[in-house]
Amino acid sequence: MNPKVTVIGSMNMDLVAETERRPEPGETVLGEQFTMNPGGKGFNQAVAAARLGADVQMIGRVGDDAFGREIISHLAKEGMSTNHVEQVTDTSTGTATIVVSEGENNIVVVPGANHRLSPEDLENVEPTIADSDIVLLQLETPMDTVTAAARVARRHHVPVILNPAPYQALPTALVHQIDYLTPNEHEHRLMHHDALLDHFDNPLIVTKGSAGTDVYNHGKGSTVQGYTVDPIDTTGAGDAFNGGLAARLASGSSLTEAVRYANAVGARAVTKLGAQSGMPTHQEVLQLMDEMD
Ligand code: RIB
């Protein structure tokens, strides 16, 4: 049976401009290309896990508009159920305005409908959460909702991964309900600064791109090797990692095996433009690991 992953989080339309040079404040530059792609950290992570063979339930909110309809139809095309993605009428679908230059990106997210996902909505999907092998959360939906999601999962002994992105200080009540925390290096530094890790005893997984991933578990730290590729667009690399980690942990792999696999998922994902277009299949991940190990 396929592992069951429930992703609770954001669904955005990504508005992507590629340019040779990033504009300085107050400057206008001419770009090379514009594309619109479905994105959002939650949706990207769901697509990553689904392409790797997990049975994924996506829980989120979009607006009653063209972007919202496009996102729902894309969800179905990726083979996922649309049952838990509702359209709200009082605000528009979340957007991310992204500038890609020299393989790196800058992003402005306007959450819109993502901020309509409420703690009560989570109580209403309790049976779906209870039936999951793992729950995957990020921070583009309200903090109360993320906390409620973790609480419901904990009630049913379902492990929770929190990808603390984009970074915000976490309430202690949330930290105590998390089984795996997956910051990148920048988020990790901010967590230390805010003393958020003082009472966190579960695996802390710090992603560093091609430099690999640091895993701190039971007082011990180790680095799991990364993979070096030529990046085209790093948007969604962390999402690919998290989707891969969730799919692999849900299918019973050890933490080290799952992190190694997730490193390869993240590396493969940056070789195409757009957050979701580079998300690999299980076969493609195995091939990359084979070629590079
Ligand atoms: O992590 C990448 C994602 O962040 C983009 O798809 C964008 O929607 C923003 O949420």
Side-chain angles (χ1 to χ4, degrees):
M1 219 168 51
N2 294 340
K4 292 187 215 160
V5 176
T6 295
V7 182
I8 300 161
S10 58
M11 307 182 88
N12 295 333
M13 187 57 81
D14 289 357
L15 313 171
V16 186
E18 283 175 86
T19 168
E20 221 171 85
R21 189 171 66 75
R22 220 168 280 287
E24 300 291 333
E27 186 190 12
T28 301
V29 296
L30 293 180
E32 273 86 56
Q33 198 178 194
F34 174 77
T35 41
M36 289 200 303
N37 317 301
K41 294 189 192 302
F43 193 15
N44 295 341
Q45 295 180 11
V47 169
R51 290 209 189 146
L52 296 167
D55 185 352
V56 179
Q57 293 288 336
M58 175 78 215
I59 298 171
R61 294 291 178 270
V62 294
D64 185 11
D65 48 29
F67 287 169
R69 285 187 284 281
E70 169 77 21
I71 284 172
I72 289 175
S73 105
H74 198 77
L75 184 68
K77 268 190 222 143
E78 291 287 342
M80 285 174 269
S81 156
T82 58
N83 286 350
H84 300 308
V85 176
E86 287 175 20
Q87 289 179 279
V88 300
T89 49
D90 63 336
T91 185
S92 47
T93 298
T95 55
T97 303
I98 305 180
V99 175
V100 178
S101 190
E102 294 170 346
E104 296 288 346
N105 62 50
N106 293 78
I107 308 182
V108 177
V109 171
V110 178
N114 294 304
H115 273 195
R116 294 290 183 276
L117 189 67
S118 69
E120 297 72 51
D121 293 330
L122 269 298
E123 298 291 339
N124 294 337
V125 293
E126 182 159 355
T128 301
I129 294 176
D131 190 39
S132 319
D133 293 314
I134 206 157
V135 162
L136 183 51
L137 306 170
Q138 329 72 33
L139 299 178
E140 284 184 337
T141 50
M143 196 61 89
D144 284 358
T145 305
V146 175
T147 306
R151 192 173 50 236
V152 175
R154 183 50 71 98
R155 199 182 290 155
H156 295 279
H157 311 289
V158 176
V160 175
I161 302 175
L162 173 65
N163 173 219
Y167 180 78
Q168 291 150 69
L170 305 176
T172 320
L174 175 57
V175 175
H176 287 152
Q177 323 251 23
I178 301 304
D179 298 279
Y180 304 91
L181 252 180
T182 60
N184 64 20
E185 288 175 284
H186 170 68
E187 291 148 2
H188 184 220
R189 268 194 298 276
L190 295 172
M191 292 183 118
H192 265 300
H193 180 261
D194 289 350
L196 285 179
L197 295 169
D198 294 358
H199 305 289
F200 184 70
D201 298 324
N202 287 330
L204 172 69
I205 298 159
V206 184
T207 55
K208 303 186 301 181
S210 58
T213 299
D214 293 337
V215 178
Y216 303 93
N217 195 11
H218 299 306
K220 282 199 211 129
S222 60
T223 301
V224 180
Q225 161 209 318
Y227 295 87
T228 306
V229 293
D230 283 334
I232 301 289
D233 178 9
T234 55
T235 313
D239 300 332
F241 177 93
N242 279 279
L245 183 73
R248 218 51 195 166
L249 286 175
S251 60
S253 291
S254 73
L255 181 58
T256 308
E257 273 167 25
V259 169
R260 197 179 181 86
Y261 180 91
N263 280 347
V265 178
R268 184 62 171 61
V270 302
T271 58
K272 291 203 181 135
L273 182 71
Q276 295 181 4
S277 53
M279 300 294 185
T281 61
H282 178 60
Q283 280 315 319
E284 289 168 333
V285 177
L286 295 186
Q287 197 184 332
L288 178 79
M289 293 174 83
D290 228 40
E291 282 165 14
M292 298 215 172
D293 280 344

